[in-house]
Amino acid sequence: MPVLLMGSLALSTYWLVRNAPTFSAPEVVKESGHEVDYFMRKFTIKTFDENGKLKSEVYGTEARHFQDTDILEIDQARIHSISIDGRLTTATANRAYTNGDGSEVQLTGNARVVRDSSKDANGKEMPRLEFRGEFLHAFLNEERVQSHKPVILIRGTDQFTGDTFAYDNLDQVANLKGRVRGVLMPKSSSAAASPAAAKPPAR
């Protein structure tokens, strides 16, 4: 009898071990580091609006994309942005950092943002506008440019400098701070009418 009881106990223990649920060790979630997941060389990226109209164009000698931040780092960048009303803005720099949809760009090293001259809805002439500096932060969709470093602002023939600045194209307001200097060029007067050719006196 004791032998039968011991045998039954051993069999039941074996059955429990075979059928007991097993718990695997928790999987370690691999954190994505700040690493390049793809790169491009001598590339051009174009984006279009829902009507098929060209919205922006990005060119660079080399670009690296970081998956964790969705930031594209571009060497020798040249970025064209076309507003809804057709105004062209061009941004260039030794290096640019742009977000996934290209709406926000940080430019470093010989940074320039140029908006071509155009006319507003009322037909008023809007002069060419240019920003220069070692760092420029452009919000292309909002048509804003700002910097915490010295910047040169050129509007037509006028030129301004400041230690920091912010510009809003929609409000047509530039805010320069620090050591601000400006050179305003006089507007060229309209050309004088050429004198009429003298007629020989009648005889």
Side-chain angles (χ1 to χ4, degrees):
M1 195 67 177
V3 174
L4 290 175
L5 289 174
M6 292 295 294
S8 299
L9 181 61
L11 287 173
S12 61
T13 303
Y14 175 75
W15 182 86
L16 287 173
V17 171
R18 286 281 304 242
N19 294 278
T22 58
F23 299 93
S24 59
E27 295 183 2
V28 178
V29 179
K30 185 178 179 181
E31 295 183 0
S32 57
H34 190 63
E35 298 179 353
V36 177
D37 58 346
Y38 70 83
F39 68 92
M40 298 177 287
R41 290 195 176 102
K42 293 184 179 180
F43 67 95
T44 300
I45 301 175
K46 295 181 180 181
T47 59
F48 301 85
D49 61 15
E50 59 274 9
N51 297 319
K53 187 177 180 180
L54 182 63
K55 185 178 179 181
S56 66
E57 182 179 22
V58 180
Y59 168 82
T61 56
E62 184 172 319
R64 297 160 293 277
H65 181 263
F66 295 90
Q67 183 179 11
D68 59 330
T69 57
D70 195 21
I71 295 295
L72 189 65
E73 183 182 271
I74 308 169
D75 296 338
Q76 302 302 319
R78 184 175 70 247
I79 302 170
H80 297 299
S81 176
I82 303 173
S83 64
I84 298 176
D85 52 3
R87 289 198 304 267
L88 174 64
T89 300
T90 302
T92 58
N94 293 346
R95 180 165 292 178
Y97 302 86
T98 177
N99 60 349
D101 61 1
S103 62
E104 185 177 342
V105 182
Q106 295 187 37
L107 307 166
T108 62
N110 295 319
R112 293 178 63 196
V113 174
V114 178
R115 188 204 68 193
D116 289 349
S117 60
S118 60
K119 293 183 179 180
D120 61 14
N122 299 321
K124 182 181 178 181
E125 186 72 24
M126 300 176 65
R128 180 179 182 274
L129 191 63
E130 179 178 352
F131 308 103
R132 298 179 186 173
E134 284 302 305
F135 174 82
L136 294 173
H137 194 166
F139 302 84
L140 300 180
N141 289 347
E142 303 170 21
E143 298 187 39
R144 293 189 297 115
V145 183
Q146 65 187 36
S147 179
H148 62 284
K149 293 187 176 183
V151 168
I152 299 174
L153 187 158
I154 302 172
R155 183 178 185 273
T157 56
D158 301 333
Q159 181 171 310
F160 304 89
T161 59
D163 292 336
T164 64
F165 102 114
Y167 175 76
D168 190 326
N169 186 57
L170 299 179
D171 294 336
Q172 294 289 301
V173 174
N175 187 3
L176 292 95
K177 297 181 179 180
R179 294 169 295 179
V180 179
R181 297 180 180 180
V183 177
L184 300 175
M185 301 298 293
K187 293 183 179 180
S188 58
S189 57
S190 58
S194 57
K199 295 182 180 180
R203 291 186 179 182

